[in-house]
Amino acid sequence: AQSVAQPEDQVNVAEGNPLTVKCTYSVSGNPYLFWYVQYPNRGLQFLLKYITGDNLVKGSYGFEAEFNKSQTSFHLKKPSALVSDSALYFCAVRDDGNTGKLIFGQGTTLQVKP
Amino acid sequence: DGGITQSPKYLFRKEGQNVTLSCEQNLNHDAMYWYRQDPGQGLRLIYYSQIVNDFQKGDIAEGYSVSREKKESFPLTVTSAQKNPTAFYLCASGTGDHGTEAFFGQGTRLTVV
């Protein structure tokens, strides 16, 4: 069965420092991977996705993610964190059936301190 | 202005009542989804629909019902059979293709009083 794990409940980083939010996945076929961000009491906003091709994917707001097939990981990164990046981040994998369902990790709270 | 709209933003329900959450999209998406969000548990799929007049149970469908009479609408009813309905409910839509992202509404926070 498809699954996604985000091993850290919270990540703390100082403003201006690089950040990494970790995600590992388990799929039976080709992975279709997504990152979303959620601000308090709001819906999820799409950040970026990996479908195929280059292992480094660039997305919105300066975020990028590195796909690593051998480690089954899809970590979210940003070279220089902003206080406004503080939010809840979700990694997701597309279900391998034809339903289009997304399977989400538990979420990681990113706290960026000034 | 294209998007997906959920209403109401906040909803209070008395014990034993059914309530219906609205979800409308004008993105011409075939697929629509309802997720429930609880702290520390991520998002769990309640129901999904890939086409009008058809829908499927997700992982936690008990105590919920849906309809899909129109392409743009996918309302969720939280019935009195749902034992712990207090949560944040998110509706999403998408093309259903593997490589395309889903779009989410702003959510409805349901509280049982």
PDB file of all heavy atoms in Angstrom, chain B residues 1-5 24-33 49-52 68 70-73 92-97 100-101 103:
ATOM      1  N   ASP B   1     -13.147  34.354 -11.707  1.00  0.00           N
ATOM      2  CA  ASP B   1     -12.095  33.951 -10.776  1.00  0.00           C
ATOM      3  C   ASP B   1     -12.274  32.481 -10.464  1.00  0.00           C
ATOM      4  O   ASP B   1     -13.201  32.100  -9.767  1.00  0.00           O
ATOM      5  CB  ASP B   1     -12.218  34.815  -9.517  1.00  0.00           C
ATOM      6  CG  ASP B   1     -10.975  34.725  -8.659  1.00  0.00           C
ATOM      7  OD1 ASP B   1      -9.939  34.336  -9.191  1.00  0.00           O
ATOM      8  OD2 ASP B   1     -11.063  35.055  -7.487  1.00  0.00           O
ATOM      9  N   GLY B   2     -11.404  31.625 -11.013  1.00  0.00           N
ATOM     10  CA  GLY B   2     -11.565  30.191 -10.835  1.00  0.00           C
ATOM     11  C   GLY B   2     -11.130  29.734  -9.482  1.00  0.00           C
ATOM     12  O   GLY B   2     -10.225  30.279  -8.877  1.00  0.00           O
ATOM     13  N   GLY B   3     -11.803  28.709  -8.985  1.00  0.00           N
ATOM     14  CA  GLY B   3     -11.379  28.172  -7.706  1.00  0.00           C
ATOM     15  C   GLY B   3     -12.384  27.207  -7.132  1.00  0.00           C
ATOM     16  O   GLY B   3     -13.304  26.736  -7.797  1.00  0.00           O
ATOM     17  N   ILE B   4     -12.156  26.881  -5.878  1.00  0.00           N
ATOM     18  CA  ILE B   4     -12.999  25.951  -5.165  1.00  0.00           C
ATOM     19  C   ILE B   4     -13.445  26.626  -3.875  1.00  0.00           C
ATOM     20  O   ILE B   4     -12.623  27.160  -3.129  1.00  0.00           O
ATOM     21  CB  ILE B   4     -12.253  24.622  -4.950  1.00  0.00           C
ATOM     22  CG1 ILE B   4     -13.121  23.614  -4.226  1.00  0.00           C
ATOM     23  CG2 ILE B   4     -10.923  24.809  -4.280  1.00  0.00           C
ATOM     24  CD1 ILE B   4     -12.593  22.194  -4.330  1.00  0.00           C
ATOM     25  N   THR B   5     -14.750  26.612  -3.640  1.00  0.00           N
ATOM     26  CA  THR B   5     -15.338  27.372  -2.539  1.00  0.00           C
ATOM     27  C   THR B   5     -16.046  26.448  -1.576  1.00  0.00           C
ATOM     28  O   THR B   5     -16.902  25.653  -1.981  1.00  0.00           O
ATOM     29  CB  THR B   5     -16.344  28.399  -3.083  1.00  0.00           C
ATOM     30  OG1 THR B   5     -15.680  29.260  -4.007  1.00  0.00           O
ATOM     31  CG2 THR B   5     -16.923  29.235  -1.951  1.00  0.00           C
ATOM     32  N   GLU B  24     -18.124  23.818  -3.872  1.00  0.00           N
ATOM     33  CA  GLU B  24     -18.398  24.153  -5.266  1.00  0.00           C
ATOM     34  C   GLU B  24     -17.085  24.506  -5.964  1.00  0.00           C
ATOM     35  O   GLU B  24     -16.251  25.207  -5.401  1.00  0.00           O
ATOM     36  CB  GLU B  24     -19.328  25.367  -5.357  1.00  0.00           C
ATOM     37  CG  GLU B  24     -20.640  25.219  -4.624  1.00  0.00           C
ATOM     38  CD  GLU B  24     -21.689  24.531  -5.460  1.00  0.00           C
ATOM     39  OE1 GLU B  24     -21.636  24.628  -6.703  1.00  0.00           O
ATOM     40  OE2 GLU B  24     -22.587  23.887  -4.870  1.00  0.00           O
ATOM     41  N   GLN B  25     -16.934  24.024  -7.216  1.00  0.00           N
ATOM     42  CA  GLN B  25     -15.734  24.379  -7.980  1.00  0.00           C
ATOM     43  C   GLN B  25     -16.124  24.806  -9.399  1.00  0.00           C
ATOM     44  O   GLN B  25     -17.081  24.282  -9.966  1.00  0.00           O
ATOM     45  CB  GLN B  25     -14.739  23.202  -8.020  1.00  0.00           C
ATOM     46  CG  GLN B  25     -15.295  21.884  -8.516  1.00  0.00           C
ATOM     47  CD  GLN B  25     -15.013  21.548  -9.953  1.00  0.00           C
ATOM     48  OE1 GLN B  25     -14.365  22.323 -10.678  1.00  0.00           O
ATOM     49  NE2 GLN B  25     -15.466  20.383 -10.409  1.00  0.00           N
ATOM     50  N   ASN B  26     -15.388  25.762  -9.914  1.00  0.00           N
ATOM     51  CA  ASN B  26     -15.610  26.213 -11.292  1.00  0.00           C
ATOM     52  C   ASN B  26     -14.360  25.999 -12.138  1.00  0.00           C
ATOM     53  O   ASN B  26     -14.093  26.761 -13.071  1.00  0.00           O
ATOM     54  CB  ASN B  26     -16.053  27.681 -11.318  1.00  0.00           C
ATOM     55  CG  ASN B  26     -15.021  28.612 -10.719  1.00  0.00           C
ATOM     56  OD1 ASN B  26     -13.911  28.185 -10.372  1.00  0.00           O
ATOM     57  ND2 ASN B  26     -15.357  29.876 -10.585  1.00  0.00           N
ATOM     58  N   LEU B  27     -13.633  24.944 -11.803  1.00  0.00           N
ATOM     59  CA  LEU B  27     -12.390  24.610 -12.510  1.00  0.00           C
ATOM     60  C   LEU B  27     -12.625  23.556 -13.579  1.00  0.00           C
ATOM     61  O   LEU B  27     -11.670  23.111 -14.226  1.00  0.00           O
ATOM     62  CB  LEU B  27     -11.350  24.113 -11.492  1.00  0.00           C
ATOM     63  CG  LEU B  27     -10.990  25.129 -10.405  1.00  0.00           C
ATOM     64  CD1 LEU B  27     -10.203  24.457  -9.283  1.00  0.00           C
ATOM     65  CD2 LEU B  27     -10.191  26.275 -11.010  1.00  0.00           C
ATOM     66  N   ASN B  28     -13.860  23.127 -13.730  1.00  0.00           N
ATOM     67  CA  ASN B  28     -14.221  22.092 -14.698  1.00  0.00           C
ATOM     68  C   ASN B  28     -13.503  20.771 -14.413  1.00  0.00           C
ATOM     69  O   ASN B  28     -13.201  19.999 -15.336  1.00  0.00           O
ATOM     70  CB  ASN B  28     -13.933  22.545 -16.132  1.00  0.00           C
ATOM     71  CG  ASN B  28     -14.722  21.729 -17.154  1.00  0.00           C
ATOM     72  OD1 ASN B  28     -15.847  21.313 -16.885  1.00  0.00           O
ATOM     73  ND2 ASN B  28     -14.140  21.500 -18.309  1.00  0.00           N
ATOM     74  N   HIS B  29     -13.261  20.510 -13.138  1.00  0.00           N
ATOM     75  CA  HIS B  29     -12.597  19.270 -12.751  1.00  0.00           C
ATOM     76  C   HIS B  29     -13.602  18.135 -12.627  1.00  0.00           C
ATOM     77  O   HIS B  29     -14.683  18.309 -12.094  1.00  0.00           O
ATOM     78  CB  HIS B  29     -11.878  19.444 -11.407  1.00  0.00           C
ATOM     79  CG  HIS B  29     -10.634  20.251 -11.513  1.00  0.00           C
ATOM     80  ND1 HIS B  29     -10.043  20.842 -10.412  1.00  0.00           N
ATOM     81  CD2 HIS B  29      -9.838  20.538 -12.562  1.00  0.00           C
ATOM     82  CE1 HIS B  29      -8.950  21.470 -10.795  1.00  0.00           C
ATOM     83  NE2 HIS B  29      -8.804  21.298 -12.097  1.00  0.00           N
ATOM     84  N   ASP B  30     -13.189  16.969 -13.108  1.00  0.00           N
ATOM     85  CA  ASP B  30     -14.060  15.798 -12.983  1.00  0.00           C
ATOM     86  C   ASP B  30     -14.064  15.241 -11.560  1.00  0.00           C
ATOM     87  O   ASP B  30     -15.070  14.758 -11.075  1.00  0.00           O
ATOM     88  CB  ASP B  30     -13.595  14.695 -13.950  1.00  0.00           C
ATOM     89  CG  ASP B  30     -13.958  15.012 -15.387  1.00  0.00           C
ATOM     90  OD1 ASP B  30     -15.077  15.505 -15.619  1.00  0.00           O
ATOM     91  OD2 ASP B  30     -13.121  14.775 -16.281  1.00  0.00           O
ATOM     92  N   ALA B  31     -12.907  15.253 -10.914  1.00  0.00           N
ATOM     93  CA  ALA B  31     -12.763  14.586  -9.622  1.00  0.00           C
ATOM     94  C   ALA B  31     -12.889  15.574  -8.468  1.00  0.00           C
ATOM     95  O   ALA B  31     -12.377  16.700  -8.526  1.00  0.00           O
ATOM     96  CB  ALA B  31     -11.411  13.882  -9.549  1.00  0.00           C
ATOM     97  N   MET B  32     -13.575  15.121  -7.420  1.00  0.00           N
ATOM     98  CA  MET B  32     -13.680  15.910  -6.199  1.00  0.00           C
ATOM     99  C   MET B  32     -13.508  15.007  -4.992  1.00  0.00           C
ATOM    100  O   MET B  32     -13.815  13.803  -5.062  1.00  0.00           O
ATOM    101  CB  MET B  32     -15.032  16.640  -6.143  1.00  0.00           C
ATOM    102  CG  MET B  32     -15.197  17.661  -7.269  1.00  0.00           C
ATOM    103  SD  MET B  32     -16.673  18.681  -7.134  1.00  0.00           S
ATOM    104  CE  MET B  32     -16.224  19.811  -5.811  1.00  0.00           C
ATOM    105  N   TYR B  33     -12.999  15.589  -3.914  1.00  0.00           N
ATOM    106  CA  TYR B  33     -12.604  14.811  -2.735  1.00  0.00           C
ATOM    107  C   TYR B  33     -12.987  15.556  -1.459  1.00  0.00           C
ATOM    108  O   TYR B  33     -12.954  16.786  -1.411  1.00  0.00           O
ATOM    109  CB  TYR B  33     -11.075  14.604  -2.717  1.00  0.00           C
ATOM    110  CG  TYR B  33     -10.489  14.121  -4.012  1.00  0.00           C
ATOM    111  CD1 TYR B  33     -10.110  15.016  -5.006  1.00  0.00           C
ATOM    112  CD2 TYR B  33     -10.310  12.764  -4.248  1.00  0.00           C
ATOM    113  CE1 TYR B  33      -9.570  14.581  -6.203  1.00  0.00           C
ATOM    114  CE2 TYR B  33      -9.771  12.320  -5.443  1.00  0.00           C
ATOM    115  CZ  TYR B  33      -9.405  13.228  -6.422  1.00  0.00           C
ATOM    116  OH  TYR B  33      -8.874  12.788  -7.610  1.00  0.00           O
ATOM    117  N   SER B  49     -15.210  11.435  -5.645  1.00  0.00           N
ATOM    118  CA  SER B  49     -16.048  11.245  -6.814  1.00  0.00           C
ATOM    119  C   SER B  49     -15.214  11.542  -8.056  1.00  0.00           C
ATOM    120  O   SER B  49     -14.573  12.580  -8.136  1.00  0.00           O
ATOM    121  CB  SER B  49     -17.258  12.181  -6.748  1.00  0.00           C
ATOM    122  OG  SER B  49     -17.937  12.217  -7.987  1.00  0.00           O
ATOM    123  N   GLN B  50     -15.251  10.630  -8.984  1.00  0.00           N
ATOM    124  CA  GLN B  50     -14.473  10.839 -10.215  1.00  0.00           C
ATOM    125  C   GLN B  50     -15.336  11.343 -11.357  1.00  0.00           C
ATOM    126  O   GLN B  50     -14.801  11.795 -12.386  1.00  0.00           O
ATOM    127  CB  GLN B  50     -13.792   9.530 -10.618  1.00  0.00           C
ATOM    128  CG  GLN B  50     -12.718   9.096  -9.628  1.00  0.00           C
ATOM    129  CD  GLN B  50     -12.128   7.761 -10.025  1.00  0.00           C
ATOM    130  OE1 GLN B  50     -12.605   6.711  -9.640  1.00  0.00           O
ATOM    131  NE2 GLN B  50     -11.053   7.799 -10.797  1.00  0.00           N
ATOM    132  N   ILE B  51     -16.651  11.246 -11.180  1.00  0.00           N
ATOM    133  CA  ILE B  51     -17.546  11.645 -12.261  1.00  0.00           C
ATOM    134  C   ILE B  51     -18.923  11.908 -11.659  1.00  0.00           C
ATOM    135  O   ILE B  51     -19.254  11.391 -10.583  1.00  0.00           O
ATOM    136  CB  ILE B  51     -17.602  10.540 -13.348  1.00  0.00           C
ATOM    137  CG1 ILE B  51     -18.161  11.090 -14.656  1.00  0.00           C
ATOM    138  CG2 ILE B  51     -18.360   9.334 -12.854  1.00  0.00           C
ATOM    139  CD1 ILE B  51     -17.961  10.157 -15.818  1.00  0.00           C
ATOM    140  N   VAL B  52     -19.708  12.684 -12.362  1.00  0.00           N
ATOM    141  CA  VAL B  52     -21.057  13.000 -11.885  1.00  0.00           C
ATOM    142  C   VAL B  52     -21.855  11.719 -11.661  1.00  0.00           C
ATOM    143  O   VAL B  52     -21.728  10.749 -12.415  1.00  0.00           O
ATOM    144  CB  VAL B  52     -21.762  13.923 -12.900  1.00  0.00           C
ATOM    145  CG1 VAL B  52     -23.211  14.165 -12.498  1.00  0.00           C
ATOM    146  CG2 VAL B  52     -21.031  15.234 -13.014  1.00  0.00           C
ATOM    147  N   ARG B  68     -23.329  13.697  -5.815  1.00  0.00           N
ATOM    148  CA  ARG B  68     -22.622  14.384  -6.910  1.00  0.00           C
ATOM    149  C   ARG B  68     -23.598  14.479  -8.086  1.00  0.00           C
ATOM    150  O   ARG B  68     -23.492  13.778  -9.092  1.00  0.00           O
ATOM    151  CB  ARG B  68     -21.370  13.607  -7.315  1.00  0.00           C
ATOM    152  CG  ARG B  68     -20.512  14.342  -8.341  1.00  0.00           C
ATOM    153  CD  ARG B  68     -19.584  15.305  -7.749  1.00  0.00           C
ATOM    154  NE  ARG B  68     -18.885  16.136  -8.692  1.00  0.00           N
ATOM    155  CZ  ARG B  68     -17.772  15.771  -9.350  1.00  0.00           C
ATOM    156  NH1 ARG B  68     -17.264  14.563  -9.208  1.00  0.00           N
ATOM    157  NH2 ARG B  68     -17.189  16.626 -10.167  1.00  0.00           N
ATOM    158  N   LYS B  70     -24.164  17.338  -9.740  1.00  0.00           N
ATOM    159  CA  LYS B  70     -23.626  18.265 -10.730  1.00  0.00           C
ATOM    160  C   LYS B  70     -22.103  18.195 -10.697  1.00  0.00           C
ATOM    161  O   LYS B  70     -21.511  17.954  -9.638  1.00  0.00           O
ATOM    162  CB  LYS B  70     -24.063  19.698 -10.423  1.00  0.00           C
ATOM    163  CG  LYS B  70     -25.550  19.914 -10.445  1.00  0.00           C
ATOM    164  CD  LYS B  70     -25.884  21.387 -10.265  1.00  0.00           C
ATOM    165  CE  LYS B  70     -25.453  21.895  -8.921  1.00  0.00           C
ATOM    166  NZ  LYS B  70     -25.805  23.329  -8.713  1.00  0.00           N
ATOM    167  N   LYS B  71     -21.490  18.463 -11.808  1.00  0.00           N
ATOM    168  CA  LYS B  71     -20.033  18.374 -11.890  1.00  0.00           C
ATOM    169  C   LYS B  71     -19.367  19.328 -10.908  1.00  0.00           C
ATOM    170  O   LYS B  71     -18.340  19.026 -10.310  1.00  0.00           O
ATOM    171  CB  LYS B  71     -19.587  18.697 -13.317  1.00  0.00           C
ATOM    172  CG  LYS B  71     -18.104  18.499 -13.572  1.00  0.00           C
ATOM    173  CD  LYS B  71     -17.788  18.730 -15.035  1.00  0.00           C
ATOM    174  CE  LYS B  71     -16.340  18.387 -15.336  1.00  0.00           C
ATOM    175  NZ  LYS B  71     -16.037  18.544 -16.778  1.00  0.00           N
ATOM    176  N   GLU B  72     -19.961  20.500 -10.718  1.00  0.00           N
ATOM    177  CA  GLU B  72     -19.297  21.534  -9.937  1.00  0.00           C
ATOM    178  C   GLU B  72     -19.580  21.450  -8.442  1.00  0.00           C
ATOM    179  O   GLU B  72     -19.016  22.211  -7.670  1.00  0.00           O
ATOM    180  CB  GLU B  72     -19.696  22.919 -10.459  1.00  0.00           C
ATOM    181  CG  GLU B  72     -21.170  23.183 -10.523  1.00  0.00           C
ATOM    182  CD  GLU B  72     -21.815  22.764 -11.831  1.00  0.00           C
ATOM    183  OE1 GLU B  72     -21.220  21.931 -12.563  1.00  0.00           O
ATOM    184  OE2 GLU B  72     -22.915  23.266 -12.125  1.00  0.00           O
ATOM    185  N   SER B  73     -20.433  20.522  -8.006  1.00  0.00           N
ATOM    186  CA  SER B  73     -20.851  20.505  -6.617  1.00  0.00           C
ATOM    187  C   SER B  73     -20.684  19.124  -5.978  1.00  0.00           C
ATOM    188  O   SER B  73     -21.047  18.103  -6.581  1.00  0.00           O
ATOM    189  CB  SER B  73     -22.318  20.940  -6.538  1.00  0.00           C
ATOM    190  OG  SER B  73     -22.773  20.921  -5.212  1.00  0.00           O
ATOM    191  N   ALA B  92     -11.480  19.154  -2.062  1.00  0.00           N
ATOM    192  CA  ALA B  92     -10.478  19.349  -3.105  1.00  0.00           C
ATOM    193  C   ALA B  92     -11.052  18.893  -4.439  1.00  0.00           C
ATOM    194  O   ALA B  92     -11.987  18.088  -4.492  1.00  0.00           O
ATOM    195  CB  ALA B  92      -9.202  18.571  -2.796  1.00  0.00           C
ATOM    196  N   SER B  93     -10.469  19.400  -5.504  1.00  0.00           N
ATOM    197  CA  SER B  93     -10.850  18.942  -6.832  1.00  0.00           C
ATOM    198  C   SER B  93      -9.604  18.785  -7.684  1.00  0.00           C
ATOM    199  O   SER B  93      -8.550  19.345  -7.384  1.00  0.00           O
ATOM    200  CB  SER B  93     -11.821  19.933  -7.496  1.00  0.00           C
ATOM    201  OG  SER B  93     -11.156  21.127  -7.860  1.00  0.00           O
ATOM    202  N   GLY B  94      -9.738  17.991  -8.739  1.00  0.00           N
ATOM    203  CA  GLY B  94      -8.611  17.767  -9.631  1.00  0.00           C
ATOM    204  C   GLY B  94      -9.068  17.104 -10.910  1.00  0.00           C
ATOM    205  O   GLY B  94     -10.227  16.703 -11.044  1.00  0.00           O
ATOM    206  N   THR B  95      -8.132  16.985 -11.832  1.00  0.00           N
ATOM    207  CA  THR B  95      -8.470  16.344 -13.101  1.00  0.00           C
ATOM    208  C   THR B  95      -8.519  14.826 -12.953  1.00  0.00           C
ATOM    209  O   THR B  95      -9.072  14.140 -13.796  1.00  0.00           O
ATOM    210  CB  THR B  95      -7.430  16.679 -14.168  1.00  0.00           C
ATOM    211  OG1 THR B  95      -6.170  16.130 -13.771  1.00  0.00           O
ATOM    212  CG2 THR B  95      -7.285  18.191 -14.334  1.00  0.00           C
ATOM    213  N   GLY B  96      -7.885  14.323 -11.878  1.00  0.00           N
ATOM    214  CA  GLY B  96      -7.813  12.876 -11.715  1.00  0.00           C
ATOM    215  C   GLY B  96      -6.565  12.275 -12.342  1.00  0.00           C
ATOM    216  O   GLY B  96      -6.247  11.119 -12.121  1.00  0.00           O
ATOM    217  N   ASP B  97      -5.851  13.080 -13.137  1.00  0.00           N
ATOM    218  CA  ASP B  97      -4.612  12.583 -13.730  1.00  0.00           C
ATOM    219  C   ASP B  97      -3.532  12.492 -12.663  1.00  0.00           C
ATOM    220  O   ASP B  97      -3.446  13.330 -11.782  1.00  0.00           O
ATOM    221  CB  ASP B  97      -4.138  13.543 -14.829  1.00  0.00           C
ATOM    222  CG  ASP B  97      -5.095  13.577 -15.996  1.00  0.00           C
ATOM    223  OD1 ASP B  97      -5.815  12.578 -16.192  1.00  0.00           O
ATOM    224  OD2 ASP B  97      -5.135  14.600 -16.698  1.00  0.00           O
ATOM    225  N   THR B 100      -1.121  15.667 -12.052  1.00  0.00           N
ATOM    226  CA  THR B 100      -1.633  17.010 -11.773  1.00  0.00           C
ATOM    227  C   THR B 100      -2.013  17.136 -10.305  1.00  0.00           C
ATOM    228  O   THR B 100      -2.495  16.195  -9.685  1.00  0.00           O
ATOM    229  CB  THR B 100      -2.854  17.338 -12.638  1.00  0.00           C
ATOM    230  OG1 THR B 100      -3.871  16.360 -12.404  1.00  0.00           O
ATOM    231  CG2 THR B 100      -2.489  17.344 -14.103  1.00  0.00           C
ATOM    232  N   GLU B 101      -1.797  18.342  -9.802  1.00  0.00           N
ATOM    233  CA  GLU B 101      -2.067  18.563  -8.392  1.00  0.00           C
ATOM    234  C   GLU B 101      -3.561  18.768  -8.153  1.00  0.00           C
ATOM    235  O   GLU B 101      -4.315  19.145  -9.042  1.00  0.00           O
ATOM    236  CB  GLU B 101      -1.293  19.794  -7.889  1.00  0.00           C
ATOM    237  CG  GLU B 101      -1.629  21.086  -8.604  1.00  0.00           C
ATOM    238  CD  GLU B 101      -0.777  21.304  -9.838  1.00  0.00           C
ATOM    239  OE1 GLU B 101      -0.255  20.321 -10.415  1.00  0.00           O
ATOM    240  OE2 GLU B 101      -0.631  22.470 -10.235  1.00  0.00           O
ATOM    241  N   PHE B 103      -6.556  20.868  -6.088  1.00  0.00           N
ATOM    242  CA  PHE B 103      -6.784  22.213  -5.579  1.00  0.00           C
ATOM    243  C   PHE B 103      -7.733  22.121  -4.389  1.00  0.00           C
ATOM    244  O   PHE B 103      -8.732  21.399  -4.445  1.00  0.00           O
ATOM    245  CB  PHE B 103      -7.402  23.092  -6.666  1.00  0.00           C
ATOM    246  CG  PHE B 103      -6.468  23.364  -7.803  1.00  0.00           C
ATOM    247  CD1 PHE B 103      -6.284  22.422  -8.802  1.00  0.00           C
ATOM    248  CD2 PHE B 103      -5.765  24.554  -7.884  1.00  0.00           C
ATOM    249  CE1 PHE B 103      -5.412  22.658  -9.856  1.00  0.00           C
ATOM    250  CE2 PHE B 103      -4.901  24.804  -8.929  1.00  0.00           C
ATOM    251  CZ  PHE B 103      -4.729  23.846  -9.914  1.00  0.00           C
TER     252      PHE B 103
END
